[in-house]
């Protein structure tokens, strides 16, 4: 009778947040296939599944702080301690050790994984340790004589170039405008010069989204103009293909697997990965799995930014591991600190630094003074009075776009202005703001609701390999210059505009405003950031920093001072064990 009561209480709990249909299906699968009958184990399995939606690799059984009270309400249980969990796990028919083949894996007494994420994390750690082998194709002795001397330790860009050439794996982290592209161009130039093979060095540069790959290609071309390079080097650098990680791995439509893997690795000698913080655990594992043992890989990113939308915080984990003297990654990273985009008096730069450090008094001072590049507008709790001024800014940006004299100019205007907000839902959420501004603009276009119109910005929400459009790609609706027919226009990976018929578009949405997560990999001249005070417990310093660091020229913040003060003191730590796995594998593997 007691177990029946607990089962019924579990069913009621699973119909409430944060649980979804996926959790209920998983619980039923464990009960039917593995004959698991313990309601506490079934409920904890649902929690483990739900934890992955929050980006965690595993559920920490030693901490009940994040445990939904709904799970235990009505059940005759208290949350077990670790000793009790060991006895419970031993009696379970669906939890076991790595080698036992169960759908749930227990590691280090308290880390409960879905098996696939345990395997992703362990396999990735193994690949990272393999890449630390001291047999780089660019050995120090092959460098030009001027580079054989010790670099100026105060010039972190030079340090990063020299050290990256000595290693098959290297990590370069830095905020916006710190010279990551210039550094990697220096690395690639020296790699080309030092290459002694008969065939040219095969190089590619990749990013997690199409827009990030396009921006990487643009950054490389612009960066070359600042360097004194001979024509031969310029031609080789211009020939570097920039693409998405999915395209590099040759993704298969409607599948999570790729053609390229350990058995059929990618055919490049040097791989540069940009915006690495956006890459989740499964994708990073599949990327490293497809990189040949003899190839070199350089990761670029900003470890202060938000972690990936999906499971893991791989770039942050790798960056921290590289600072651990016990780790095989130790010394294989450089963090660039000097900004070349902003002066130190720039309010955007100061705001980003304040967010990273969590300095509340300096934040208060900065918000009270309006600057040319920084404006703060207070939002009162439960007030919608700030919505009309935000809509006015969005409409103004749209009207400027319509004044473009060419398709190319109109497309480039997408990068001039954006509104960023943490959430999709709510009065200040993406869905509401896009709906409101869309309705206002359509009244001026005399267009029916639901129709496309000139100047409408779009964002793609799913991958379509036939059209080579990928989740996160941004485009614009604009007439064909020759026929006048409306098409959606996007950048291809060669930075050329390609048109797509409107009825062919994959799942998409308006892009007058975006979530901060969706904005990663992009930069805009003017950014409006909205931090309404209703859901402040979900806002962290990483979220605020990522929003601010999208702005190149001007940042306008709408928010509550107390909300922002609490936000920059809150840091999100995902439950991962990649650093620990790296140490464990390094101790056991013979490279």
């Amino acid at each position: 009778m007691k177990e029946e009561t607990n089962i019924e209480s579990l069913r009621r709990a699973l119909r409430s947040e944060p649980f979804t249909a996926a959790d209920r299906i998983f619980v039923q699968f464990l009960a039917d296939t593995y004959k698991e009958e313990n309601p506490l184990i079934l409920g904890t399995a649902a929690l483990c599944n739900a934890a992955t939606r929050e980006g965690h690799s595993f559920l920490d059984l030693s901490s009940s702080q994040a445990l939904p009270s709904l799970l235990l309400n009505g059940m005759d249980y208290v949350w077990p301690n670790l000793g009790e969990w060991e006895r419970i796990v031993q009696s379970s028919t669906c939890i076991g050790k790595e080698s036992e083949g169960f759908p749930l894996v227990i590691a280090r007494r308290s880390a409960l994984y879905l098996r696939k994420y345990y395997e992703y994390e362990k396999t990735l750690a193994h690949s990272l340790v393999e890449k630390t082998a001291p047999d780089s194709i660019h050995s120090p002795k092959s460098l030009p004589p001027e580079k054989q001397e010790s670099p100026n330790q105060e010039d972190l860009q030079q340090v990063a170039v020299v050290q990256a050439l000595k290693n098959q794996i290297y990590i370069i982290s830095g905020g916006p405008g710190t010279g990551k592209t210039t550094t990697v161009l220096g690395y690639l130039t020296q790699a080309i010069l030092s290459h002694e093979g008969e065939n040219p060095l095969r190089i590619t540069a990749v990013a997690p989204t199409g827009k990030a790959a396009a921006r990487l290609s643009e950054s490389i071309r612009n960066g070359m103009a600042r360097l004194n390079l001979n024509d031969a080097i310029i031609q080789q650098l211009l020939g570097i293909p920039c693409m998405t990680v999915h395209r590099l791995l040759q993704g298969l439509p409607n599948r999570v697997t790729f053609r390229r893997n350990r058995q059929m690795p990618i055919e490049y000698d040097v791989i540069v990965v940009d915006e690495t913080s956006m890459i989740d655990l499964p994708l990073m594992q599949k990327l490293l799995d497809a990189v040949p043992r003899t190839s070199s890989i350089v990761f670029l990113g900003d470890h202060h930014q938000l972690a990936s939308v999906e499971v893991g915080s791989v770039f942050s984990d790798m960056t921290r591991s590289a600072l651990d003297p016990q780790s095989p990654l130790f010394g294989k990273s450089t963090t660039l600190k000097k900004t070349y985009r902003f002066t130190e008096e720039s309010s955007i730069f100061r705001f980003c630094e304040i967010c990273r450090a969590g300095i509340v008094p300096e934040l208060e001072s900065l918000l009270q003074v309006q600057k040319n590049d920084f404006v703060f507008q207070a939002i009162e709790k439960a007030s919608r009075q700030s919505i009309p001024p935000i809509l006015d800014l969005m409409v103004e940006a749209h009207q400027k776009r319509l004044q473009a004299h060419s398709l190319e100019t109109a497309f480039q205007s997408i990068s001039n202005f954006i509104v960023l907000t943490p959430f999709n839902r709510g009065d200040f959420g993406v869905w509401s703001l896009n709906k409101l501004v869309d309705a206002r603009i359509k009244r001026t276009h005399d267009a029916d609701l639901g129709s496309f119109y000139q100047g409408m910005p779009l964002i793609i929400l799913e991958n379509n390999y036939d059209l080579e459009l990928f989740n996160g790609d941004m485009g614009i609706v604009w007439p064909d210059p020759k026929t006048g027919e409306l098409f959606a226009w996007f950048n291809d990976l060669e930075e050329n505009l390609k048109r797509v018929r409107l009825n062919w578009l994959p799942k998409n949405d308006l892009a007058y405003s975006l979530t901060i997560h969706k904005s990663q990999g992009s930069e805009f001249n003017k950014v409006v950031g909205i931090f309404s005070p209703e859901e402040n417990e979900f806002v962290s310093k990483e979220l605020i920093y990522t929003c601010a660091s999208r702005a190149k020229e001007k940042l306008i913040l709408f928010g509550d001072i107390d909300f922002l003060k609490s936000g920059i003191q809150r840091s999100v730590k995902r439950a991962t064990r990649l650093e620990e796995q790296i140490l464990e594998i390094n101790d056991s593997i013979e490279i």
Side-chain angles (χ1 to χ4, degrees):
M1 186 67 182
K2 170 183 168 182
E3 289 303 303
E4 290 179 3
T5 301
N6 286 332
I7 283 290
E8 185 55 37
S9 297
L10 173 63
R11 287 175 181 152
R12 285 197 301 272
L14 293 180
R15 288 194 289 269
S16 305
E17 291 186 356
F19 302 109
T20 66
D23 304 317
R24 295 189 287 274
I25 292 170
F26 183 50
V27 166
Q28 194 63 51
F29 166 75
L30 297 179
D32 293 344
T33 305
Y34 288 87
K35 309 303 178 186
E36 183 58 69
E37 299 178 347
N38 187 331
L40 181 61
I41 291 178
L42 292 172
T44 304
L47 280 174
C48 185
N49 199 52
T52 63
R53 291 196 296 276
E54 299 297 321
H56 302 295
S57 299
F58 64 87
L59 176 69
D60 186 1
L61 298 179
S62 67
S63 173
S64 60
Q65 292 181 356
L67 181 71
S69 59
L70 283 169
L71 180 63
L72 295 182
N73 283 348
M75 295 175 67
D76 189 18
Y77 291 110
V78 294
W79 192 250
N81 60 39
L82 280 184
E84 292 168 332
W85 267 120
E86 286 185 350
R87 293 190 293 274
I88 293 169
V89 166
Q90 288 175 359
S91 66
S92 172
T93 60
C94 65
I95 304 175
K97 296 179 181 178
E98 173 193 4
S99 59
E100 294 176 335
F102 291 109
L104 292 160
V105 175
I106 189 75
R108 291 297 183 185
R109 298 183 67 201
S110 64
L112 184 66
Y113 286 86
L114 299 182
R115 169 167 289 279
K116 65 178 180 179
Y117 291 112
Y118 177 84
E119 292 177 347
Y120 283 141
E121 198 171 73
K122 184 170 184 179
T123 305
L124 173 58
H126 195 283
S127 297
L128 289 170
V129 173
E130 276 188 337
K131 296 301 291 181
T132 63
D135 57 354
S136 174
I137 58 172
H138 306 304
S139 60
K141 65 181 180 181
S142 67
L143 296 175
E146 66 272 14
K147 288 293 179 182
Q148 292 184 16
E149 300 177 5
S150 297
N152 178 2
Q153 296 300 313
E154 294 183 359
D155 186 344
L156 293 179
Q157 292 188 3
Q158 185 184 10
V159 169
V161 169
V162 173
Q163 293 302 317
L165 289 165
K166 295 179 180 180
N167 293 281
Q168 284 187 289
I169 182 170
Y170 205 76
I171 302 161
I172 301 173
S173 181
T178 53
K180 295 188 293 292
T181 302
T182 300
T183 303
V184 83
L185 280 173
Y187 161 76
L188 293 175
T189 299
Q190 293 305 325
I192 292 169
L193 290 172
S194 64
H195 180 60
E196 296 178 340
E198 294 182 2
N199 298 317
L201 201 62
R202 299 170 300 177
I203 304 170
T204 187
V206 300
T209 65
K211 61 182 177 180
R215 193 166 68 84
L216 174 60
S217 175
E218 180 184 10
S219 297
I220 288 175
R221 289 199 309 274
N222 293 341
M224 286 190 297
R226 297 191 296 266
L227 301 176
N228 185 21
L229 303 173
N230 64 48
D231 290 342
I233 295 294
I234 288 174
Q235 290 306 310
Q236 281 195 262
L237 292 175
L238 286 175
I240 294 174
C242 295
M243 64 187 83
T244 63
V245 178
H246 285 81
R247 185 178 179 186
L248 174 70
L249 298 179
Q250 298 177 14
L252 299 170
N254 303 315
R255 297 177 65 180
V256 296
T257 54
F258 297 91
R259 289 189 178 90
R260 295 292 181 175
N261 49 42
R262 192 171 289 262
Q263 286 70 44
M264 192 171 76
I266 56 180
E267 297 174 350
Y268 288 99
D269 304 308
V270 176
I271 302 101
V272 174
V273 184
D274 196 19
E275 297 291 348
T276 311
S277 63
M278 297 173 63
I279 301 180
D280 59 42
L281 174 63
L283 185 58
M284 183 66 88
Q285 183 270 317
K286 290 165 186 173
L287 172 60
L288 265 292
D289 197 49
V291 174
R293 179 75 178 270
T294 56
S295 297
S296 294
I297 187 165
V298 175
F299 296 103
L300 307 178
D302 183 352
H303 66 277
H304 294 290
Q305 280 190 31
L306 287 165
S308 56
V309 175
E310 304 297 334
V311 172
S313 53
V314 178
F315 188 65
S316 293
D317 293 345
M318 289 166 49
T319 303
R320 283 194 301 271
S321 183
L323 299 176
D324 182 358
Q326 304 302 314
S327 170
L329 290 176
F330 181 64
K332 294 175 173 55
S333 75
T334 297
T335 297
L336 304 176
K337 299 175 181 178
K338 182 179 179 180
T339 178
Y340 297 90
R341 175 179 301 170
F342 305 109
T343 65
E344 293 189 0
E345 289 73 33
S346 162
S347 294
I348 297 176
F349 175 73
R350 284 185 58 208
F351 185 82
C352 289
E353 292 296 293
I354 289 168
C355 287
R356 293 197 309 187
I359 307 172
V360 170
E362 290 193 20
L363 175 67
E364 291 180 305
S365 299
L366 182 62
L367 295 182
Q368 291 170 4
V369 180
Q370 307 297 312
K371 299 286 188 179
N372 290 335
D373 66 340
F374 182 87
V375 176
F376 174 71
Q377 298 286 336
I379 293 180
E380 295 182 8
K381 192 169 184 178
S383 172
R384 294 169 52 90
Q385 293 181 356
S386 296
I387 292 179
I390 294 170
L391 295 179
D392 289 343
L393 290 169
M394 299 166 82
V395 171
E396 179 186 354
H398 175 76
Q399 291 173 340
K400 288 182 178 178
R401 181 178 302 127
L402 293 180
Q403 296 171 9
H405 298 296
S406 68
L407 167 63
E408 290 74 18
T409 304
F411 188 86
Q412 291 169 3
S413 72
I414 296 175
S415 299
N416 289 340
F417 175 86
I418 196 66
V419 172
L420 301 180
T421 181
F423 311 109
N424 281 311
R425 294 182 173 86
D427 290 341
F428 292 91
V430 165
W431 294 337
S432 176
L433 292 174
N434 277 337
K435 182 178 179 180
L436 289 171
V437 74
D438 184 53
R440 185 190 288 191
I441 289 171
K442 282 178 177 175
R443 287 196 295 269
T444 66
H445 278 70
D446 193 27
D448 296 330
L449 287 175
S451 64
F452 293 95
Y453 51 85
Q454 183 174 346
M456 175 189 284
L458 300 173
I459 184 167
I460 298 299
L461 301 179
E462 64 183 11
N463 295 335
N464 186 304
Y465 293 94
D466 293 331
L467 295 174
E468 290 198 333
L469 292 176
F470 300 96
N471 186 10
D473 286 355
M474 291 183 67
I476 186 175
V477 177
W478 200 261
D480 185 297
K482 296 180 179 179
T483 67
E485 182 181 357
L486 284 180
F487 285 89
W489 299 84
F490 298 87
N491 257 339
D492 64 18
L493 293 171
E494 282 72 45
E495 283 293 286
N496 299 312
L497 289 176
K498 63 179 181 182
R499 68 180 197 178
V500 178
R501 290 197 174 274
L502 298 176
N503 60 344
W504 290 2
L505 284 170
K507 186 178 180 182
N508 63 86
D509 205 349
L510 293 167
Y512 292 106
S513 65
L514 301 174
T515 63
I516 297 169
H517 274 95
K518 281 288 186 184
S519 73
Q520 287 186 274
S522 299
E523 293 178 337
F524 304 88
N525 293 336
K526 181 191 290 187
V527 169
V528 174
I530 306 174
F531 294 94
S532 64
E534 277 71 28
E535 300 185 78
N536 62 336
E537 69 270 19
F538 297 104
V539 172
S540 65
K541 67 165 63 177
E542 292 87 358
L543 195 73
I544 300 171
Y545 170 81
T546 302
C547 174
S549 60
R550 300 308 90 204
K552 297 172 67 175
E553 297 176 4
K554 187 164 187 174
L555 174 63
I556 304 174
L557 281 184
F558 287 81
D560 177 81
I561 291 181
D562 291 333
F563 171 85
L564 291 168
K565 283 162 55 178
S566 62
I568 67 168
Q569 296 177 84
R570 186 183 300 113
S571 185
V572 175
K573 179 68 171 74
R574 288 187 170 178
T576 72
R577 291 181 60 250
L578 181 60
E579 296 172 74
E580 188 177 338
Q581 296 255 40
I582 289 171
L583 294 175
E584 291 175 0
I585 290 171
N586 188 54
D587 289 340
S588 63
I589 195 172
E590 290 185 8
I591 301 178

